[in-house]
Amino acid sequence: SQTIHQWPATLVQPVGSPLSLECTVEGTSNPNLYWYRQAAGRGLQLLFYSVGIGQISSEVPQNLSASRPQDRQFILSSKKLLLSDSGFYLCAWTNRGSNQPQHFGDGTRLSIL
Amino acid sequence: AQSVTQPDIHITVSEGASLELRCNYSYGATPYLFWYVQSPGQGLQLLLKYFSGDTLVQGIKGFEAEFKRSQSSFNLRKPSVHWSDAAEYFCAADLSSGSARQLTFGSGTQLTVLP
């Protein structure tokens, strides 16, 4: 069966520090991968998605970047964190095709001090 | 603009009572529709999905949802709520085209269950 792993589960970082959140999927190949941010009391905002290795699309201009160095690995990064980067970050995957649901990881709670 | 709306930010029901969570979408065609549930500090779990065919779909945990094209709605229901159903519920629609499927989420409905 397919599984998705995100780490770390929680992270506390000072303003201006770098960031690297990792997401890996097992049990499938060639998935579409997604990064979302969920601010407190709000819905999900799509940040990035990827349809293949090295292919990244950004949905909103921001302080973050994403990379997909391997088929089942998706990384969210920042060179210098801002206070506004605080939130709950969720990774998701889906199989290719037009009627596939997205499956989510357990998320990373990021707090910026 | 294409959107998904959940009109109720917060709903409170008593344990054993019935539940209906509302979801409306704005799109030129019938999208693929989903309901997810999120417990505090957790990711989203898929409850059910609608692609085509029977407009009443069954999901996990005793939930069901009915697609009504005329009302552009996809409301989630449960006949008898359990205390463990307390969580946040998100409606989502696939309003995208092409190979990069994207979901548009509603802003969520927080469900509180009273003993």
Side-chain angles (χ1 to χ4, degrees):
Chain A
S1 63
Q2 302 95 345
T3 57
I4 178 169
H5 302 282
Q6 276 188 251
W7 67 92
T10 59
L11 189 60
V12 180
Q13 292 283 95
V15 169
S17 64
L19 173 74
S20 181
L21 302 181
E22 191 160 341
C23 171
T24 59
V25 180
E26 297 177 357
T28 187
S29 59
N30 227 13
N32 289 340
L33 297 172
Y34 307 82
W35 277 112
Y36 291 87
R37 176 168 56 206
Q38 187 177 27
R42 300 179 66 179
L44 281 77
Q45 178 186 38
L46 179 63
L47 301 176
F48 301 95
Y49 66 90
S50 171
V51 299
I53 296 174
Q55 300 178 62
I56 308 295
S57 296
S58 174
E59 286 298 293
V60 293
Q62 59 202 306
N63 183 43
L64 302 169
S65 62
S67 61
R68 185 170 177 175
Q70 301 180 46
D71 180 46
R72 290 169 289 175
Q73 184 184 30
F74 205 23
I75 297 172
L76 185 68
S77 304
S78 174
K79 293 182 179 178
K80 282 187 176 183
L81 285 167
L82 306 172
L83 281 175
S84 57
D85 292 323
S86 292
F88 192 52
Y89 288 83
L90 288 159
C91 181
W93 71 273
T94 184
N95 284 318
R96 300 295 176 90
S98 59
N99 61 352
Q100 301 296 320
Q102 291 185 14
H103 304 278
F104 287 81
D106 289 334
T108 295
R109 172 73 58 194
L110 176 64
S111 300
I112 309 299
L113 303 179
Chain B
Q2 300 168 355
S3 63
V4 176
T5 302
Q6 292 179 248
D8 304 305
I9 297 174
H10 196 174
I11 283 184
T12 300
V13 299
S14 297
E15 190 169 18
S18 63
L19 172 70
E20 182 168 28
L21 302 182
R22 295 184 292 164
C23 174
N24 295 94
Y25 65 89
S26 173
Y27 189 54
T30 299
Y32 302 123
L33 295 161
F34 308 87
W35 273 100
Y36 288 86
V37 61
Q38 183 181 32
S39 297
Q42 300 295 313
L44 277 69
Q45 181 183 21
L46 180 68
L47 286 176
L48 46 77
K49 59 195 178 192
Y50 172 76
F51 295 143
S52 65
D54 194 348
T55 57
L56 184 64
V57 294
Q58 302 297 319
I60 62 172
K61 304 186 179 187
F63 285 93
E64 66 179 25
E66 185 172 13
F67 169 66
K68 292 186 177 180
R69 186 191 308 274
S70 61
Q71 299 178 19
S72 297
S73 69
F74 188 55
N75 294 348
L76 182 71
R77 301 195 295 244
K78 187 169 185 178
S80 178
V81 170
H82 188 262
W83 64 266
S84 60
D85 293 324
E88 187 152 25
Y89 291 80
F90 291 94
C91 180
D94 185 341
L95 308 176
S96 58
S97 59
S99 61
R101 314 307 304 181
Q102 300 176 45
L103 292 184
T104 299
F105 285 84
S107 53
T109 297
Q110 183 68 47
L111 174 65
T112 297
V113 180
L114 301 176

